[in-house]
Amino acid sequence: MKIAILSGSVYGTAEEVARHARGLLEAAGFEARHDPRFTLETLEAFAPDALLAVTATTGMGELPDNLLPLYHALRDRVPDWRGRPGAVIALGDASYGDTFCGGGEQMRELFGELGLREVLPMLRLDASETVTPEADAEPWLAELAGLLRD
Ligand SMILES: Cc1cc2nc3c(=O)[nH]c(=O)nc-3n(C[C@H](O)[C@H](O)[C@H](O)COP(=O)(O)O)c2cc1C
């Protein structure tokens, strides 16, 4: 099974988590590709069986700039990936209040619009609570690997 890992990051934390996820999913036997610069074309060429988005939140609940072109291309062109598994890891900071993990929420909504099947509730990693997001994501990623294998 091929898993595409999209990432949105300003300072690099989400990208590190995405890289870590790729390593764990590969170790679990999947063909995982992480590319912070995926375009709709390179994503369609990879032909993913499942999608994982790992994204930070910036501004007031916004997606990082590096993910915006792909986000808009997916919304505009709506590739037919209906029914394929999708999951989201959101990085944020609870001290931002209402916009906590807003970027992840936007990816979650987009995955819903594409008809992806949410196999696991979105993971929220709170920078005000933890400085080890990669390690904190491990149990969730192990669960994801198990669900994708079924
Ligand atoms: C300018 C700025 C704005 C932010 N806005 C939000 C926000 O609206 N909601 C949220 O949950 N986190 C917000 N954050 C926190 C980041 O999403 C969080 O620190 C994340 O771990 C950063 O990941 P990155 O290193 O991949 O950019 C903001 C951080 C900065 C520096």
Side-chain angles (χ1 to χ4, degrees):
M1 177 186 260
K2 293 197 275 185
I3 307 172
I5 304 174
L6 329 177
S7 65
S9 186
V10 179
Y11 299 103
T13 320
E15 209 167 306
E16 281 303 318
V17 173
R19 243 195 294 275
H20 193 61
R22 190 210 55 200
L24 292 179
L25 292 169
E26 277 180 347
F30 297 99
E31 183 183 343
R33 183 177 302 173
H34 168 227
D35 185 348
R37 285 170 297 278
F38 262 132
T39 62
L40 184 56
E41 289 71 26
T42 58
L43 202 49
E44 284 185 315
F46 178 58
D49 301 299
L51 282 97
L52 171 63
V54 183
T55 188
T57 300
T58 189
M60 290 301 286
E62 285 142 35
L63 283 169
D65 282 351
N66 76 300
L67 194 51
L68 282 177
L70 180 60
Y71 171 84
H72 289 298
L74 287 168
R75 282 198 83 170
D76 292 347
R77 308 243 305 268
V78 194
D80 187 6
W81 293 330
R82 271 171 299 179
R84 295 184 200 188
V88 178
I89 296 177
L91 285 85
D93 186 322
S95 60
Y96 284 87
D98 284 352
T99 66
F100 179 49
C101 288
E105 297 288 358
Q106 289 188 51
M107 288 309 291
R108 218 185 130 244
E109 279 168 27
L110 171 65
F111 279 10
E113 287 167 23
L114 298 179
L116 298 181
R117 196 158 45 83
E118 188 176 38
V119 283
L120 196 57
M122 184 169 85
L123 174 65
R124 291 175 175 77
L125 297 170
D126 180 0
S128 73
E129 293 265 319
T130 179
V131 289
T132 55
E134 291 105 318
D136 297 343
E138 284 177 8
W140 187 94
L141 285 163
E143 198 178 344
L144 179 66
L147 290 163
L148 293 178
R149 203 176 285 120
D150 289 341

